[in-house]
Amino acid sequence: MPGLTAIHDGGDANSLMSIQSVKPTPDTLSRLVARLRALTLRLLPVEVEPKDLSTPTSRIITPEVISAYTAAAGDFVEALPYCLLRARAEFLWDAAHNPADYDENYGRAIACEVLARRIVHKTAPERLNAVMSTRYKHKQIDGDDSDPASALEMAIDTHCTIFLSSTESQDVVKAIWNGHIVQKSEDDDIHDVDYIPYSEHRTGSTWDHLDPSRLSVPRYQNLLRIVVWLLFLVAYSQAVRQPVERLADPTYATNLDAWEIILYVLGLSIVFEDSHKFVKLLRFVTWRAFSFWNMVAIITDSLLLAAFILRIVGLKETGDHSTQLRVNSFQVLSFVSPLIWMKLVTVFDGYQYVGTMQICVARMLQESGIFFALLSILGLGFVQAMYALDAADGTVESPAAVVNALVQGLLGSPDFERYITSPTGLLMYYLWNIVTMIILLNILISLFSSAYDDVVEDSEAEYLAYFAGKTVGMIRAPDSYVYPAPFNLVEIFLVSPFEFFVSKRTYAQYNRVVMRIVFFIPLTMIALYESFREERAGWVKHWLHGTDQGDDNYEAIRDPEPAEEDVSSGLKISKVPFTELVKVFPNTAQSGETLLMLEVQELRAKLDAVLQKLEGNQK
């Protein structure tokens, strides 16, 4: 287990040093969270602006305050970032359920997040992975233990942009993304995972890199799924042309085309993969892990499954009913097109601009919930009003016609001629268009503008938080053997059935053999990439860039000597020592208010000394 860290007596107070291995119980962590909440309530008894807490030179989150929180954790310093983020979540819950104290509790939540970031910044580099990735449990209100989660996962679930945008968090995220940190399951519980450096169990040879477990690395998962999705788009584009190209083919009504077979095989494999991911997320994580793209995947999978069922049933039928089912299948399939092309944007979400655009779209859709809630309520009211007006003469038209007229008005194409013979109906239709086109749509525009400003204002942190969620989401649902779609069909039908009949060791060996055969080409490419490009080209990077560039901890860098030729000429670089040069620098680590208070205290001390001397002379 990862070792605990704490401030070592007599050591460097700016780093957390490993002292012992401790796995705190959920009760212990809950008591630590309660203590941290009490400290935060004492630190911030009144409302404070969030920007006064998050600035590097904050006069509230001072080094002394950070040291106090570190000491408050006792022997559980490694769990301190997790507990602070847990306290943050509780303060946000208090803010949401107590509007009168919203600003106070929101400021306390920000303080907990900033403290977690500053404490992680003080963590020794060799302990950083353990602090960020070790999973803990806490005691819930109902007395049950929570699901295990690490500080990094807690930050992702609660959208801690301040914490996730730190250098330390991104170092761990990038290490997970590149496969430098890998999951290791405990022997007694496959879902109790730990994170270890990949270099601990490999020799560095090319054959050693030919490891099926490398398919679970997020970077390689992402590349494989991009290739599969592009192939899926090609198959879809060809399959939807079949009703025109094969209309005169007599086997069209009884057989699937080759492109249709490829489309539905890929589609079903993606449906199985998404279903497996959703089940594991609900079981082992939380519903908060679901994002906008998860909802798009659910809708896409449902439409693909419906189109497949209609097409298969149509093959079994005859006559006009078969034709109708085939037409319905392709009609349902047509609704898939916007969704799969929209998901193509995720191919380029490694670029910050595209990733930020995705965040803006998702945030806008979240904000539009207010608009659709108001629209639904008003829509029901106006539908009933128009129906009542229509029923006044004892006859009514189709409700679908009324809804169609209202929708046309909402979309900017009202049909006023429809109600020209009924002044009351025309007045009601006028009111509907005024409320929707002038009031509700402007509310929607303002909501979109607010969501866009919120994202763009802090786009750097928002994107880093999004990338962290994407990376951890790929490995969060534990899976010992990763078969990306469409190869998961091989796992379902040829591998998984043997799990119930053979030993765990035999099943693991069987999986490794199958994966080496099925994924031989991608595994070979991964092995060549890792062994040659990353490792053997590493010396070139170090040769070109060097180490410790600009580091002020080395005497040779602070006060360098010129080359021998220049020394012989009596020339020098360090005529003025480094320590003398920096004496005139301002202390940018402290705020202006803090520096002013220090100067005032210094003046008071001098004034007290003068007064004491005067009093002594008078006596």
Side-chain angles (χ1 to χ4, degrees):
M1 288 304 300
L4 253 282
T5 56
I7 297 179
H8 191 276
D9 295 336
D12 184 5
N14 293 326
S15 64
L16 300 176
M17 305 300 292
S18 178
I19 56 172
Q20 58 180 338
S21 296
V22 176
K23 182 67 172 180
T25 63
D27 285 327
T28 300
L29 283 186
S30 296
R31 294 173 187 178
L32 178 55
V33 170
R35 191 183 198 199
L36 297 175
R37 281 174 53 87
L39 282 174
T40 308
L41 288 169
R42 181 62 62 91
L43 177 66
L44 298 174
V46 296
E47 177 184 347
V48 178
E49 287 292 330
K51 64 180 181 180
D52 294 335
L53 298 168
S54 58
T55 55
T57 58
S58 173
R59 63 182 179 85
I60 300 173
I61 310 296
T62 61
E64 293 77 14
V65 172
I66 297 173
S67 298
Y69 272 81
T70 303
D75 292 332
F76 305 99
V77 184
E78 272 195 4
L80 186 55
Y82 171 85
C83 292
L84 282 169
L85 294 176
R86 179 61 201 165
R88 173 191 182 274
E90 293 185 4
F91 277 125
L92 287 178
W93 190 92
D94 294 339
H97 291 80
N98 187 7
D101 293 334
Y102 177 85
D103 293 329
E104 291 88 340
N105 286 314
Y106 181 75
R108 293 160 187 159
I110 296 298
C112 289
E113 184 178 356
V114 172
L115 283 164
R117 172 171 176 162
R118 302 286 174 81
I119 289 171
V120 167
H121 179 68
K122 294 178 179 293
T123 303
E126 64 271 13
R127 304 304 308 154
L128 180 60
N129 293 339
V131 170
M132 295 291 288
S133 60
T134 302
R135 289 183 168 183
Y136 302 99
K137 295 182 181 180
H138 66 272
K139 190 67 70 173
Q140 295 178 331
I141 298 177
D142 57 3
D144 295 334
D145 293 345
S146 67
D147 294 326
S150 63
L152 187 61
E153 292 169 345
M154 176 70 73
I156 291 171
D157 290 342
T158 54
H159 195 64
C160 300
T161 55
I162 296 175
F163 184 84
L164 292 173
S165 61
S166 65
T167 302
E168 294 74 23
S169 297
Q170 288 302 309
D171 286 343
V172 176
V173 169
K174 290 177 181 177
I176 296 175
W177 174 263
N178 294 323
H180 299 153
I181 298 176
V182 296
Q183 281 186 343
K184 179 184 178 182
S185 301
E186 299 295 336
D187 295 334
D188 55 343
D189 187 359
I190 192 176
H191 304 300
D192 185 10
V193 298
D194 197 4
Y195 292 87
I196 61 173
Y198 179 60
S199 58
E200 288 187 1
H201 55 84
R202 63 186 176 96
T203 61
S205 65
T206 303
W207 177 256
D208 189 46
H209 281 282
L210 200 67
D211 184 1
S213 65
R214 299 305 287 167
L215 290 173
S216 62
V217 173
R219 175 170 60 180
Y220 304 136
Q221 284 191 51
N222 190 57
L223 288 174
L224 282 173
R225 283 166 182 162
I226 287 173
V227 173
V228 171
W229 197 258
L230 293 176
L231 178 61
F232 179 76
L233 285 176
V234 173
Y236 178 86
S237 302
Q238 293 295 326
V240 294
R241 297 171 56 189
Q242 301 310 307
V244 176
E245 296 182 354
R246 294 185 60 200
L247 190 59
D249 188 353
T251 64
Y252 179 50
T254 58
N255 295 316
L256 291 175
D257 182 77
W259 286 110
E260 287 184 277
I261 294 175
I262 296 174
L263 170 67
Y264 287 122
V265 167
L266 291 174
L268 289 177
S269 66
I270 293 173
V271 170
F272 289 143
E273 183 181 57
D274 291 339
S275 301
H276 182 259
K277 184 189 302 182
F278 297 151
V279 170
K280 287 207 167 185
L281 284 177
L282 286 175
R283 182 179 177 185
F284 302 111
V285 192
T286 173
W287 60 270
R288 294 184 181 88
F290 283 86
S291 63
F292 165 71
W293 294 109
N294 293 125
M295 300 306 299
V296 172
I298 291 174
I299 297 173
T300 305
D301 295 343
S302 301
L303 292 174
L304 280 172
L305 193 58
F308 175 72
I309 293 174
L310 289 172
R311 186 73 173 100
I312 295 300
V313 174
L315 295 177
K316 304 298 182 181
E317 298 290 336
T318 57
D320 295 339
H321 188 49
S322 174
T323 303
Q324 184 61 39
L325 288 174
R326 185 175 68 250
V327 171
N328 293 338
S329 173
F330 280 96
Q331 288 175 341
V332 173
L333 198 61
S334 65
F335 283 93
V336 178
S337 180
L339 298 175
I340 61 177
W341 282 99
M342 182 169 58
K343 286 191 67 176
L344 188 63
V345 178
T346 60
V347 172
F348 304 101
D349 60 2
Y351 297 97
Q352 184 173 349
Y353 176 80
V354 180
T356 304
M357 180 179 64
Q358 289 187 56
I359 299 170
C360 288
V361 172
R363 184 71 63 84
M364 288 178 179
L365 292 177
Q366 291 176 359
E367 296 293 337
S368 64
I370 299 175
F371 166 78
F372 284 109
L374 292 174
L375 179 64
S376 300
I377 295 173
L378 288 174
L380 290 174
F382 275 95
V383 166
Q384 189 175 31
M386 301 299 288
Y387 178 83
L389 289 175
D390 192 28
D393 58 358
T395 60
V396 294
E397 60 181 349
S398 172
V402 177
V403 173
N404 183 53
L406 295 180
V407 171
Q408 285 181 337
L410 175 65
L411 298 179
S413 181
D415 184 12
F416 293 106
E417 297 295 332
R418 181 186 185 87
Y419 300 101
I420 194 65
T421 59
S422 174
T424 308
L426 188 60
L427 177 61
M428 187 68 68
Y429 201 53
Y430 283 150
L431 289 175
W432 165 256
N433 284 274
I434 291 173
V435 170
T436 55
M437 297 183 64
I438 298 179
I439 300 177
L440 286 184
L441 289 181
N442 280 284
I443 291 176
L444 181 63
I445 293 172
S446 65
L447 290 173
F448 281 177
S449 176
S450 176
Y452 180 80
D453 290 339
D454 291 341
V455 173
V456 173
E457 183 179 359
D458 199 14
S459 60
E460 195 79 30
E462 291 285 350
Y463 173 74
L464 293 176
Y466 168 79
F467 183 74
K470 173 185 175 67
T471 301
V472 175
M474 289 185 177
I475 62 172
R476 194 164 185 182
D479 194 353
S480 301
Y481 315 105
V482 177
Y483 289 82
F487 305 103
N488 57 338
L489 297 178
V490 176
E491 179 186 22
I492 293 173
F493 296 107
L494 299 179
V495 178
S496 295
F498 292 96
E499 183 178 6
F500 305 100
F501 305 104
V502 298
S503 65
K504 184 181 295 186
R505 181 182 181 87
T506 303
Y507 182 70
Q509 293 177 346
Y510 178 56
N511 266 282
R512 295 178 69 86
V513 171
V514 172
M515 293 180 74
R516 277 202 168 102
I517 295 173
V518 174
F519 299 108
F520 178 77
I521 294 178
L523 284 176
T524 303
M525 297 174 66
I526 291 172
L528 293 173
Y529 173 81
E530 291 185 344
S531 60
F532 289 97
R533 181 171 180 177
E534 287 191 345
E535 293 184 2
R536 300 186 183 180
W539 68 272
V540 178
K541 179 179 179 181
H542 293 303
W543 177 62
L544 291 175
H545 296 280
T547 57
D548 300 323
Q549 300 256 343
D551 196 333
D552 64 353
N553 294 323
Y554 296 88
E555 185 67 28
I557 294 177
R558 290 186 295 179
D559 293 316
E561 294 293 335
E564 294 181 0
E565 295 83 358
D566 294 327
V567 171
S568 61
S569 302
L571 303 176
K572 293 186 66 176
I573 296 177
S574 307
K575 286 186 175 182
V576 182
F578 186 86
T579 53
E580 294 295 327
L581 293 172
V582 299
K583 283 183 178 179
V584 298
F585 286 7
N587 188 354
T588 56
Q590 294 179 330
S591 64
E593 295 178 357
T594 302
L595 292 174
L596 182 61
M597 291 299 298
L598 291 175
E599 291 180 1
V600 171
Q601 292 175 2
E602 185 179 352
L603 289 175
R604 288 184 61 181
K606 292 180 179 179
L607 181 60
D608 289 340
V610 171
L611 291 175
Q612 289 178 1
K613 189 172 183 180
L614 290 175
E615 290 176 358
N617 292 336
Q618 290 176 357
K619 291 180 179 180

mmCIF file of all heavy atoms in Angstrom, residues 498-514:
data_model
loop_
_atom_site.group_PDB
_atom_site.id
_atom_site.type_symbol
_atom_site.label_atom_id
_atom_site.label_comp_id
_atom_site.label_asym_id
_atom_site.label_seq_id
_atom_site.Cartn_x
_atom_site.Cartn_y
_atom_site.Cartn_z
ATOM 1 N N PHE A 498 -15.822 -19.642 -21.231
ATOM 2 C CA PHE A 498 -14.877 -20.537 -20.561
ATOM 3 C C PHE A 498 -14.556 -20.078 -19.138
ATOM 4 O O PHE A 498 -13.933 -20.829 -18.385
ATOM 5 C CB PHE A 498 -13.579 -20.620 -21.372
ATOM 6 C CG PHE A 498 -13.742 -21.315 -22.692
ATOM 7 C CD1 PHE A 498 -13.945 -20.593 -23.855
ATOM 8 C CD2 PHE A 498 -13.709 -22.702 -22.770
ATOM 9 C CE1 PHE A 498 -14.102 -21.214 -25.073
ATOM 10 C CE2 PHE A 498 -13.866 -23.347 -23.990
ATOM 11 C CZ PHE A 498 -14.072 -22.602 -25.144
ATOM 12 N N GLU A 499 -14.958 -18.854 -18.784
ATOM 13 C CA GLU A 499 -14.639 -18.340 -17.455
ATOM 14 C C GLU A 499 -15.265 -19.181 -16.350
ATOM 15 O O GLU A 499 -14.721 -19.266 -15.243
ATOM 16 C CB GLU A 499 -15.100 -16.881 -17.345
ATOM 17 C CG GLU A 499 -14.744 -16.218 -16.024
ATOM 18 C CD GLU A 499 -15.165 -14.769 -15.982
ATOM 19 O OE1 GLU A 499 -15.834 -14.309 -16.936
ATOM 20 O OE2 GLU A 499 -14.834 -14.087 -14.999
ATOM 21 N N PHE A 500 -16.399 -19.830 -16.636
ATOM 22 C CA PHE A 500 -17.119 -20.584 -15.613
ATOM 23 C C PHE A 500 -16.671 -22.048 -15.532
ATOM 24 O O PHE A 500 -17.140 -22.773 -14.661
ATOM 25 C CB PHE A 500 -18.621 -20.525 -15.909
ATOM 26 C CG PHE A 500 -19.154 -19.123 -16.033
ATOM 27 C CD1 PHE A 500 -19.366 -18.544 -17.285
ATOM 28 C CD2 PHE A 500 -19.414 -18.376 -14.911
ATOM 29 C CE1 PHE A 500 -19.851 -17.255 -17.409
ATOM 30 C CE2 PHE A 500 -19.905 -17.071 -15.021
ATOM 31 C CZ PHE A 500 -20.119 -16.521 -16.272
ATOM 32 N N PHE A 501 -15.767 -22.460 -16.427
ATOM 33 C CA PHE A 501 -15.398 -23.875 -16.469
ATOM 34 C C PHE A 501 -13.914 -24.129 -16.214
ATOM 35 O O PHE A 501 -13.529 -25.277 -16.008
ATOM 36 C CB PHE A 501 -15.779 -24.481 -17.832
ATOM 37 C CG PHE A 501 -17.218 -24.287 -18.188
ATOM 38 C CD1 PHE A 501 -17.594 -23.339 -19.126
ATOM 39 C CD2 PHE A 501 -18.213 -25.040 -17.578
ATOM 40 C CE1 PHE A 501 -18.920 -23.154 -19.467
ATOM 41 C CE2 PHE A 501 -19.543 -24.854 -17.909
ATOM 42 C CZ PHE A 501 -19.906 -23.920 -18.855
ATOM 43 N N VAL A 502 -13.091 -23.099 -16.263
ATOM 44 C CA VAL A 502 -11.654 -23.292 -16.083
ATOM 45 C C VAL A 502 -11.188 -22.466 -14.892
ATOM 46 O O VAL A 502 -11.896 -21.585 -14.392
ATOM 47 C CB VAL A 502 -10.869 -22.886 -17.357
ATOM 48 C CG1 VAL A 502 -11.275 -23.745 -18.530
ATOM 49 C CG2 VAL A 502 -11.077 -21.406 -17.678
ATOM 50 N N SER A 503 -9.963 -22.728 -14.445
ATOM 51 C CA SER A 503 -9.393 -21.992 -13.320
ATOM 52 C C SER A 503 -9.058 -20.559 -13.741
ATOM 53 O O SER A 503 -8.955 -20.246 -14.931
ATOM 54 C CB SER A 503 -8.144 -22.695 -12.808
ATOM 55 O OG SER A 503 -7.134 -22.682 -13.807
ATOM 56 N N LYS A 504 -8.871 -19.724 -12.735
ATOM 57 C CA LYS A 504 -8.568 -18.322 -13.012
ATOM 58 C C LYS A 504 -7.237 -18.183 -13.765
ATOM 59 O O LYS A 504 -7.103 -17.351 -14.672
ATOM 60 C CB LYS A 504 -8.517 -17.540 -11.701
ATOM 61 C CG LYS A 504 -8.308 -16.046 -11.874
ATOM 62 C CD LYS A 504 -8.254 -15.339 -10.532
ATOM 63 C CE LYS A 504 -9.582 -15.435 -9.814
ATOM 64 N NZ LYS A 504 -9.569 -14.632 -8.562
ATOM 65 N N ARG A 505 -6.258 -19.002 -13.401
ATOM 66 C CA ARG A 505 -4.956 -18.949 -14.066
ATOM 67 C C ARG A 505 -5.066 -19.381 -15.526
ATOM 68 O O ARG A 505 -4.514 -18.739 -16.428
ATOM 69 C CB ARG A 505 -3.967 -19.842 -13.315
ATOM 70 C CG ARG A 505 -2.573 -19.852 -13.890
ATOM 71 C CD ARG A 505 -1.670 -20.802 -13.123
ATOM 72 N NE ARG A 505 -0.325 -20.811 -13.659
ATOM 73 C CZ ARG A 505 0.627 -19.973 -13.305
ATOM 74 N NH1 ARG A 505 0.370 -19.043 -12.396
ATOM 75 N NH2 ARG A 505 1.829 -20.035 -13.834
ATOM 76 N N THR A 506 -5.813 -20.462 -15.776
ATOM 77 C CA THR A 506 -5.994 -20.934 -17.149
ATOM 78 C C THR A 506 -6.765 -19.924 -17.985
ATOM 79 O O THR A 506 -6.440 -19.688 -19.159
ATOM 80 C CB THR A 506 -6.731 -22.282 -17.143
ATOM 81 O OG1 THR A 506 -6.002 -23.214 -16.345
ATOM 82 C CG2 THR A 506 -6.875 -22.827 -18.555
ATOM 83 N N TYR A 507 -7.770 -19.305 -17.374
ATOM 84 C CA TYR A 507 -8.575 -18.312 -18.099
ATOM 85 C C TYR A 507 -7.717 -17.104 -18.473
ATOM 86 O O TYR A 507 -7.845 -16.551 -19.579
ATOM 87 C CB TYR A 507 -9.750 -17.883 -17.229
ATOM 88 C CG TYR A 507 -10.680 -16.901 -17.886
ATOM 89 C CD1 TYR A 507 -11.497 -17.284 -18.949
ATOM 90 C CD2 TYR A 507 -10.743 -15.578 -17.449
ATOM 91 C CE1 TYR A 507 -12.349 -16.375 -19.559
ATOM 92 C CE2 TYR A 507 -11.597 -14.672 -18.044
ATOM 93 C CZ TYR A 507 -12.398 -15.075 -19.097
ATOM 94 O OH TYR A 507 -13.245 -14.174 -19.692
ATOM 95 N N ALA A 508 -6.821 -16.691 -17.570
ATOM 96 C CA ALA A 508 -5.935 -15.565 -17.862
ATOM 97 C C ALA A 508 -4.989 -15.904 -19.011
ATOM 98 O O ALA A 508 -4.771 -15.089 -19.922
ATOM 99 C CB ALA A 508 -5.153 -15.184 -16.613
ATOM 100 N N GLN A 509 -4.411 -17.105 -18.993
ATOM 101 C CA GLN A 509 -3.515 -17.514 -20.070
ATOM 102 C C GLN A 509 -4.256 -17.608 -21.398
ATOM 103 O O GLN A 509 -3.742 -17.206 -22.448
ATOM 104 C CB GLN A 509 -2.868 -18.853 -19.722
ATOM 105 C CG GLN A 509 -1.903 -18.787 -18.546
ATOM 106 C CD GLN A 509 -1.334 -20.149 -18.188
ATOM 107 O OE1 GLN A 509 -1.840 -21.179 -18.631
ATOM 108 N NE2 GLN A 509 -0.282 -20.162 -17.372
ATOM 109 N N TYR A 510 -5.474 -18.128 -21.360
ATOM 110 C CA TYR A 510 -6.280 -18.238 -22.583
ATOM 111 C C TYR A 510 -6.565 -16.848 -23.158
ATOM 112 O O TYR A 510 -6.490 -16.629 -24.373
ATOM 113 C CB TYR A 510 -7.572 -18.978 -22.265
ATOM 114 C CG TYR A 510 -8.521 -19.121 -23.431
ATOM 115 C CD1 TYR A 510 -8.113 -19.718 -24.620
ATOM 116 C CD2 TYR A 510 -9.824 -18.646 -23.354
ATOM 117 C CE1 TYR A 510 -8.979 -19.842 -25.693
ATOM 118 C CE2 TYR A 510 -10.697 -18.766 -24.411
ATOM 119 C CZ TYR A 510 -10.270 -19.361 -25.584
ATOM 120 O OH TYR A 510 -11.138 -19.475 -26.642
ATOM 121 N N ASN A 511 -6.886 -15.907 -22.300
ATOM 122 C CA ASN A 511 -7.135 -14.539 -22.749
ATOM 123 C C ASN A 511 -5.896 -13.935 -23.397
ATOM 124 O O ASN A 511 -5.997 -13.285 -24.445
ATOM 125 C CB ASN A 511 -7.574 -13.671 -21.557
ATOM 126 C CG ASN A 511 -9.081 -13.591 -21.419
ATOM 127 O OD1 ASN A 511 -9.746 -12.852 -22.145
ATOM 128 N ND2 ASN A 511 -9.624 -14.365 -20.505
ATOM 129 N N ARG A 512 -4.766 -14.130 -22.796
ATOM 130 C CA ARG A 512 -3.539 -13.549 -23.338
ATOM 131 C C ARG A 512 -3.195 -14.136 -24.702
ATOM 132 O O ARG A 512 -2.747 -13.420 -25.605
ATOM 133 C CB ARG A 512 -2.385 -13.745 -22.359
ATOM 134 C CG ARG A 512 -2.556 -13.000 -21.053
ATOM 135 C CD ARG A 512 -1.399 -13.264 -20.107
ATOM 136 N NE ARG A 512 -0.180 -12.671 -20.593
ATOM 137 C CZ ARG A 512 0.182 -11.407 -20.373
ATOM 138 N NH1 ARG A 512 -0.607 -10.605 -19.668
ATOM 139 N NH2 ARG A 512 1.322 -10.933 -20.840
ATOM 140 N N VAL A 513 -3.417 -15.437 -24.863
ATOM 141 C CA VAL A 513 -3.151 -16.069 -26.157
ATOM 142 C C VAL A 513 -4.103 -15.527 -27.223
ATOM 143 O O VAL A 513 -3.687 -15.160 -28.342
ATOM 144 C CB VAL A 513 -3.266 -17.599 -26.045
ATOM 145 C CG1 VAL A 513 -3.223 -18.243 -27.422
ATOM 146 C CG2 VAL A 513 -2.157 -18.160 -25.161
ATOM 147 N N VAL A 514 -5.394 -15.464 -26.902
ATOM 148 C CA VAL A 514 -6.387 -14.961 -27.857
ATOM 149 C C VAL A 514 -6.099 -13.510 -28.218
ATOM 150 O O VAL A 514 -6.156 -13.125 -29.401
ATOM 151 C CB VAL A 514 -7.810 -15.117 -27.269
ATOM 152 C CG1 VAL A 514 -8.829 -14.425 -28.172
ATOM 153 C CG2 VAL A 514 -8.162 -16.588 -27.121
#
